[in-house]
Amino acid sequence: MRFTRRAAVAAVGVAALLTATACGSSDDSSGGGSGSSKVEVFTWWADGGEKAGLDGLVKQFGTDCAGQTFENGAVAGGAGANAKSVLASRLQQSDPPDTFQAHAGAELQDYINAGQIEDLSADYDSWGLKQAFPQGLIDNLTVEGKIYSVPANIHRANVVWTNKKVLASAGITKDPTDLAGFIADLDKVKAKGIAAPLAIGKDWTQLMLFESVLITDLGPDKFTGLWTGATDWNDPLVTKAINDFKTLLTYTNSDRDALDWTDAEKLVMDGKAAYQLMGDWEAADLDAKKFTDYAWFTFPGNGDTFQWLADSFVLPKGAKNPEGTKCWLKTVGSDAGQKAFNTTKGSIPARTDAKPADYPKYQQAAIADWKSFKQVPSCAHGSACSQGWQGAANSALGKFSTNSDVAELQKAMATAASEFVKK
Amino acid sequence: MRKLRHWGPGLLLLSPSLILLAVFVYGLIAWTTKVSVSDEHNALGSKGFAGLENYTKLFTNDINDRFTHSLKNLLVFTVVFLVGAMFFGLLWAFILERGVKAEGFFRTVYLFPMAVSFVASGVVWRWLMNPNKGDSAGGLNSVLGGLGLDFLQNTWWTNPDWGMAAMAIPAIWQLSGYVMALFLAGFRGIPQELREAAAMDGASTYRLYRNVIFPQLTPVALSALIILGHMSMKMFDLIMSVSGPQWLTEVPAIYVWQTLLTSDYAKAAAISIILLLLVAVVIVPYLIYTNRQEKNA
Amino acid sequence: MTTTSVEAPPPPSVETLTPVRKPKRGGGPGAIVKYALALVFLIIVLMPLYVLIVTSFKAGSDIGVASQWSLPETWTLASWEKAWNALQPAFFRTFQLAVPVAIISSLIGAANGFVLSRWRFPGADVVFTLILFGMFIPYQAVMIPLREIVTTLGIPPGITTLVLVHCIYGIPICTLIFRNYYATTVPEELIEAARVDGAGLLRTFGRIILPISIPGFVVTIIWQFTSAWNDYLFAIFLSNTRNGPITIALNALAGAQSPDYAASMAGALITSLPTLVVYVLLGRWFIGGLMAGSVKS
């Protein structure tokens, strides 16, 4: 009986306490501002240079769209992997943000197919964007005559970032131009006692490296063909590329599957590695982290190939504040908006009328390259392949990281292609 | 008629729950089954009938045998998790049952991980199971290094063969206390007379436990196994927060999630139903068995 | 589940948990081993908690693999502040989720448990087994249609939806706990006497049963509060970072690139605090109640 009474007191006490807490905080939390002037912008730009770029854009949005307030819906992690899973949930829950970030190209196609985003063609005309963006990009954005997104930038994926001090101590003075040269340099760094000179992270970062090797071994045209069905994944050149990729993996850190790209970046910053292949958002991130001893070169053997991806913004069906969102999209596409965004984000403007002089050193080079280089898309970043294909590729690379079975990877990629390539 | 008036109100009181469960458990399972035999492979949602194709494809034609790999991962995880949690749970309960001062304190500490969500404990376990060894070792590896047990340092969940065994460590940490609580209640439920009778017969402590006490604990052990086992099959949040979704540590529950992200509903449903069947194979006989036991009693 | 069998453990209460025998005093090699083991396990169990706490108070350069196990050089609350700012809305939302879930499903469970143990109807055992199965299903097997229903009906994602879902899927476990509780603590004769007096179902339940149900409520409330608080799977399917519970928010905080370890760990502690408080305060009743509630035969 003693027990019962004490239990009663405790239970009632706890219940009362909890109810009080719950009621005390019963401000609206599940609703969200319907019909409001808030624009919820969903991105995966939560840290470093990416965050800085977003902040710049937000500032411009404040000037251009008086009366509208920006609401940050950023979800961090994994170059968008986390965000995309949250986004997929929200779209499936019919609770879309007012606008979200999507890679132009095949990835955008998924949302279009699912009927989740609105046609923006008319706005393109009224905002004069068709003239502002290069024709090639417009072609990539156009699906059956309609355009569904406004690109904020162009990124480049096939860049190797280096720690200058480490390279100097290994006596490396020239950038390698082919794979053999790169491997020779990796050996030199290794001889200096750095066991894993090439820093890398988990699946999708490995896919990026693999794609760069594919570009080197197949050349840009055949590489692009891999994603359109024009090139057979069973091609012996692919076998060669997988073998080269396998060799490169032997120079990487063994804990790769536990690391995100920023962890790998830290290895380079700390001098525990000399190289990392990563998109050029790394430039802004290194700047934001006040690391200055870095340099870059195009992945050896890629020559004049610019592997691009573009972050673009869309208007989802069912957005709560379409007017505000359109104003956001207009800002994103405007000259001032692109400048505010790209000068800090590390990317280059999608508009052709941007002035290179406004940009930091790396981007000046990239702007020039974008104009003259051969452009190829990226699967790891959704411009080449759909999300389903990307998932299959990441999984296959994840397996390769554990067993280095060349034939198996090739077979897996070939099967994935036959499953996902548009017939 | 009098009988109906006798038990009718009870059934009436129960009926809302029954209807809810009929719809939300059995109805939705039927619905999922229907999706699993359709060809709804994208958000456009064509609803044709595909028969068992989605199932056979998982076993015979999945890229890299991804599904069977996830099953293998699940098997390793489950075995290590069950053995580990049962072992430590029983051991702790045994220590406490032998009589320890401040027993309540020990009990609370052993049990506390159960209050923590996998998402929260994943944050720290991801850090503890840092795969670096030697000089750059961190987490558990640096403890092992510090203790001079360098040979025990390992790559934890990033090991391609036994990574899932390492993944079970946080789960063992979390649920051993629960098993302990079950066993402790079991120990304490054994009538004192039984112990005394055995002592009178001059049984040694070993004999007492071997022949008298442990046999009494079999039902407790069985229910602990069932509870841990079905938790293990559903394991999702722990792996999501320690390694994230990736090949190395993929289990069916995560595969479902990954597949849903690409809107392949039919495939996701097929995996879910297989997962359900796996659980049912264990649970249904158990439920029937206990039901029958009860009738006999 | 046998609650009526002769050998079934006596009704759980704190009394059965206190050791029957006084711990043996004095030394002896056995006692040393016993205490040594108990202490070693204590340290192992507390290890992750230590890392969580220590790291959460560290600043910048102090956080790293090398200094993982050492105390902070300077103690700072900065990370706690950052984590709190990130988690605060979700923290309060989770109360709005877990409190109603705990109360509502306990009430449903009490009513069902009473009917199934002491106001039985023909076939009650089969019905009970069917209810119980709902406790073991992998929720993936219902998730796809569940989300479809919720979206089709236009129910907004977030706390309200989660409350409904947790209440429904909490019915089996709460029913089980109360059924076993009543079967062991409420004598048939009591009900018979009430019936003879002409008391109906509701009156018997309200006047006689509810007042002696507190220990059962303690268990179901703790159980449901904890599982709603710690749930990640339903949350990830039926809510999002904007309107979801704290596990979602913590995952977003800790899953960030260049994750801020100190803030993640502070966040993990904040996330765990309410359930830890519940366990530490009510843990002793919980262990007793577990036995009543666990599936046992």
Side-chain angles (χ1 to χ4, degrees):
Chain A
M1 212 50 222
R2 211 184 75 226
F3 161 64
T4 312
R5 197 171 310 136
R6 248 192 306 164
V9 171
V12 171
V14 167
L17 184 81
L18 298 183
T19 319
T21 325
C23 296
S25 67
S26 59
D27 50 340
D28 175 45
S29 44
S30 48
S34 56
S36 71
S37 58
K38 271 192 262 173
V39 179
E40 193 203 359
V41 178
F42 186 95
T43 65
W44 49 87
W45 299 328
D47 299 298
E50 308 185 320
K51 176 76 166 56
L54 183 61
D55 289 343
L57 197 52
V58 170
K59 212 170 150 211
Q60 188 62 38
F61 173 67
T63 331
D64 290 356
C65 310
Q68 300 285 349
T69 31
F70 166 84
E71 194 186 343
N72 195 349
V75 173
N82 296 359
K84 276 183 219 161
S85 87
V86 173
L87 180 65
S89 283
R90 287 188 60 173
L91 293 175
Q92 283 164 4
Q93 291 161 9
S94 298
D95 182 32
D98 290 307
T99 180
F100 62 84
Q101 173 190 4
H103 286 132
E107 182 181 305
L108 204 59
Q109 190 74 44
D110 292 335
Y111 302 116
I112 299 171
N113 286 347
Q116 288 162 328
I117 51 180
E118 304 274 8
D119 174 17
L120 296 170
S121 310
D123 302 293
Y124 257 70
D125 293 333
S126 67
W127 298 337
L129 291 182
K130 276 193 178 140
Q131 293 74 44
F133 295 135
Q135 192 54 43
L137 183 59
I138 292 283
D139 290 345
N140 258 302
L141 290 171
T142 309
V143 176
E144 288 166 7
K146 292 174 183 165
I147 303 182
Y148 293 85
S149 77
V150 179
N153 64 359
I154 302 291
H155 265 302
R156 186 174 184 189
N158 55 339
V159 188
V160 178
W161 304 89
T162 67
N163 181 322
K164 282 201 276 193
K165 277 194 180 148
V166 176
L167 292 191
S169 75
I172 297 167
T173 49
K174 262 185 24 205
D175 294 336
T177 51
D178 55 20
L179 272 182
F182 189 33
I183 287 166
D185 284 354
L186 285 166
D187 280 325
K188 277 187 212 161
V189 180
K190 211 170 177 173
K192 281 284 159 193
I194 292 176
L198 179 59
I200 203 164
K202 67 175 174 185
D203 45 23
W204 64 270
T205 66
Q206 295 167 24
L207 179 58
M208 283 184 74
L209 181 64
F210 179 47
E211 285 189 75
S212 294
V213 178
L214 281 169
I215 297 172
T216 294
D217 285 340
L218 276 79
D221 293 327
K222 284 194 88 171
F223 171 80
T224 309
L226 288 172
W227 310 106
T228 59
T231 311
D232 185 0
W233 275 92
N234 292 314
D235 193 298
L237 284 176
V238 175
T239 321
K240 179 181 184 308
I242 297 177
N243 276 308
D244 288 338
F245 172 62
K246 183 177 166 183
T247 312
L248 285 179
L249 275 191
T250 60
Y251 292 94
T252 64
N253 38 303
S254 59
D255 60 347
R256 52 187 174 249
D257 296 315
L259 303 188
D260 207 335
W261 73 273
T262 42
D263 301 313
E265 180 195 35
K266 192 159 187 306
L267 291 176
V268 175
M269 289 163 67
D270 293 347
K272 287 177 185 159
Y275 303 100
Q276 180 189 10
L277 175 111
M278 190 37 64
D280 54 10
W281 47 90
E282 180 141 334
D285 205 56
L286 290 167
D287 290 342
K289 288 172 179 164
K290 309 255 186 303
F291 180 79
T292 51
D293 284 326
Y294 73 88
W296 69 88
F297 53 83
T298 304
F299 185 81
N302 278 197
D304 289 347
T305 306
F306 191 112
Q307 192 183 26
W308 68 274
L309 56 121
D311 292 306
S312 67
F313 284 94
V314 300
L315 174 60
K317 288 212 169 113
K320 291 181 194 75
N321 180 6
E323 282 317 301
T325 304
K326 286 209 171 166
C327 195
W328 167 265
L329 293 176
K330 193 178 171 189
T331 305
V332 167
S334 70
D335 189 26
Q338 299 233 322
K339 185 180 156 193
F341 180 63
N342 289 302
T343 43
T344 41
K345 162 89 157 81
S347 45
I348 61 172
R351 293 178 71 103
T352 46
D353 53 0
K355 292 174 226 33
D358 293 338
Y359 289 82
K361 202 168 65 169
Y362 167 77
Q363 278 120 300
Q364 292 189 9
I367 290 171
D369 292 348
W370 171 243
K371 290 203 174 111
S372 58
F373 279 17
K374 181 102 188 164
Q375 294 167 12
V376 298
S378 149
C379 177
H381 296 285
S383 46
C385 63
S386 67
Q387 292 189 45
W389 196 344
Q390 198 182 336
N394 281 341
S395 170
L397 266 297
K399 179 163 196 194
F400 187 74
S401 173
T402 67
N403 71 357
S404 300
D405 186 328
V406 174
E408 197 179 67
L409 176 61
Q410 187 159 15
K411 183 166 169 263
M413 294 303 289
T415 317
S418 68
E419 203 168 299
F420 291 104
V421 81
K422 274 191 255 57
K423 301 268 156 52
Chain B
M1 217 43 220
R2 260 204 60 186
K3 263 207 157 150
L4 179 67
R5 202 176 312 148
H6 193 70
W7 50 256
L11 195 58
L12 205 63
L13 187 62
L14 196 64
S15 55
S17 296
L18 290 182
I19 293 168
L20 282 175
L21 291 180
V23 172
F24 282 92
V25 174
Y26 296 97
L28 294 194
I29 287 175
W31 187 336
T32 307
T33 313
K34 193 182 144 231
V35 176
S36 77
V37 292
S38 77
D39 61 353
E40 193 178 351
H41 292 297
N42 53 48
L44 295 176
S46 72
K47 302 267 166 82
F49 181 70
L52 292 178
E53 193 194 310
N54 295 317
Y55 290 92
T56 50
K57 245 186 107 178
L58 280 176
F59 287 101
T60 58
N61 200 18
D62 208 24
I63 296 173
N64 266 340
D65 298 325
R66 188 169 166 186
F67 182 65
T68 36
H69 171 256
S70 75
L71 283 180
K72 196 204 102 204
N73 275 348
L74 182 62
L75 180 72
V76 174
F77 178 87
T78 303
V79 169
V80 176
F81 169 48
L82 288 187
V83 171
M86 292 300 279
F87 174 77
F88 286 110
L90 184 58
L91 183 61
W92 296 350
F94 183 67
I95 292 171
L96 295 190
E97 117 88 15
R98 296 299 293 157
V100 171
K101 270 187 259 178
E103 188 201 308
F105 171 70
F106 281 105
R107 222 165 46 199
T108 307
V109 170
Y110 289 159
L111 191 63
F112 101 86
M114 202 195 160
V116 181
S117 64
F118 279 124
V119 177
S121 68
V123 171
V124 63
W125 280 104
R126 181 173 47 191
W127 218 36
L128 287 176
M129 294 199 286
N130 182 312
N132 280 315
K133 291 192 248 187
D135 291 337
S136 51
L140 293 178
N141 279 347
S142 77
V143 173
L144 293 171
L147 292 172
L149 299 170
D150 296 65
F151 64 95
L152 279 179
Q153 290 191 351
N154 67 76
T155 53
W156 306 108
W157 60 265
T158 60
N159 181 304
D161 298 316
W162 297 106
M164 286 314 283
M167 192 60 93
I169 295 175
I172 295 171
W173 173 76
Q174 204 134 1
L175 283 150
S176 294
Y178 174 71
V179 178
M180 171 206 72
L182 289 180
F183 274 120
L184 207 50
F187 275 126
R188 301 283 150 78
I190 295 169
Q192 186 62 14
E193 302 84 66
L194 268 181
R195 293 173 191 261
E196 277 159 11
M200 294 256 269
D201 294 346
S204 64
T205 312
Y206 170 76
R207 290 249 144 230
L208 171 71
Y209 278 93
R210 173 79 186 70
N211 295 340
V212 180
I213 297 188
F214 284 138
Q216 294 271 326
L217 293 179
T218 319
V220 180
L222 183 63
S223 46
L225 271 177
I226 291 287
I227 290 167
L228 295 185
H230 98 276
M231 283 183 76
S232 175
M233 306 248 199
K234 302 197 267 194
M235 196 49 72
F236 175 75
D237 14 7
L238 172 70
I239 300 172
M240 285 290 276
S241 27
V242 172
S243 71
Q246 57 168 308
W247 163 267
L248 211 46
T249 54
E250 192 163 75
V251 293
I254 288 185
Y255 197 3
V256 172
W257 173 244
Q258 290 293 94
T259 311
L260 275 180
L261 287 183
T262 61
S263 300
D264 193 340
Y265 295 103
K267 185 172 170 184
I271 303 172
S272 306
I273 293 298
I274 295 175
L275 200 55
L276 177 73
L277 290 176
L278 283 179
V279 174
V281 162
V282 180
I283 297 299
V284 170
Y286 174 75
L287 289 178
I288 293 173
Y289 164 77
T290 44
N291 197 357
R292 200 168 291 161
Q293 286 281 96
E294 194 162 336
K295 282 225 179 76
N296 294 341
Chain C
M1 272 182 297
T2 301
T3 43
T4 43
S5 82
V6 198
E7 287 130 348
S13 69
V14 149
E15 279 71 33
T16 59
L17 285 173
T18 35
V20 194
R21 294 157 289 120
K22 285 270 162 234
K24 276 180 235 149
R25 304 266 157 172
I32 294 173
V33 170
K34 187 171 71 186
Y35 279 98
L37 277 177
L39 273 175
V40 166
F41 287 126
L42 196 75
I43 291 168
I44 291 177
V45 170
L46 288 175
M47 214 163 61
L49 189 66
Y50 168 82
V51 173
L52 275 173
I53 294 174
V54 167
T55 312
S56 71
F57 288 106
K58 284 181 184 172
S61 58
D62 207 5
I63 310 158
V65 168
S67 58
Q68 207 168 26
W69 294 97
S70 46
L71 289 171
E73 277 165 22
T74 44
W75 295 71
T76 164
L77 277 172
S79 299
W80 280 82
E81 210 180 310
K82 182 178 171 191
W84 176 245
N85 287 336
L87 299 180
Q88 187 211 4
F91 186 79
F92 289 123
R93 277 201 297 267
T94 317
F95 274 106
Q96 289 173 303
L97 165 68
V99 173
V101 164
I103 294 169
I104 296 171
S105 39
S106 296
L107 285 172
I108 299 176
N112 293 349
F114 171 62
V115 171
L116 287 169
S117 62
R118 288 291 174 258
W119 206 281
R120 292 160 64 85
F121 50 86
D125 282 332
V126 177
V127 169
F128 178 60
T129 307
L130 286 174
I131 291 179
L132 213 52
F133 183 66
M135 179 179 143
F136 294 103
I137 58 163
Y139 295 124
Q140 279 86 358
V142 296
M143 212 58 95
I144 298 168
L146 185 62
R147 183 156 72 187
E148 205 169 317
I149 292 176
V150 167
T151 12
T152 315
L153 293 180
I155 305 171
I159 298 303
T160 323
T161 313
L162 287 173
V163 169
L164 288 173
V165 167
H166 277 290
C167 284
I168 292 171
Y169 293 102
I171 290 175
I173 178 90
C174 293
T175 303
L176 168 71
I177 291 173
F178 274 105
R179 177 182 179 271
N180 287 355
Y181 176 75
Y182 291 138
T184 47
T185 50
V186 180
E188 295 264 19
E189 300 77 47
L190 196 64
I191 308 296
E192 281 311 313
R195 274 187 173 168
V196 168
D197 288 350
L201 170 82
L202 287 179
R203 232 175 86 199
T204 315
F205 182 60
R207 293 269 173 82
I208 301 176
I209 301 300
L210 273 186
I212 56 168
S213 301
I214 301 294
F217 273 101
V218 174
V219 177
T220 51
I221 285 176
I222 296 177
W223 185 273
Q224 282 299 92
F225 181 84
T226 316
S227 53
W229 188 278
N230 288 344
D231 164 68
Y232 183 66
L233 186 64
F234 279 122
I236 201 174
F237 272 90
L238 300 170
S239 71
N240 52 58
T241 39
R242 241 157 43 104
N243 48 33
I246 194 154
T247 43
I248 298 267
L250 175 65
N251 193 258
L253 174 73
Q257 43 187 276
S258 52
D260 181 338
Y261 286 116
S264 314
M265 306 244 173
L269 286 169
I270 292 172
T271 306
S272 312
L273 221 51
T275 45
L276 278 179
V277 167
V278 168
Y279 262 70
V280 171
L281 287 186
L282 303 177
R284 49 202 254 111
W285 290 306
F286 185 69
I287 300 182
L290 267 185
M291 203 49 212
S294 66
V295 185
K296 60 175 197 270
S297 59

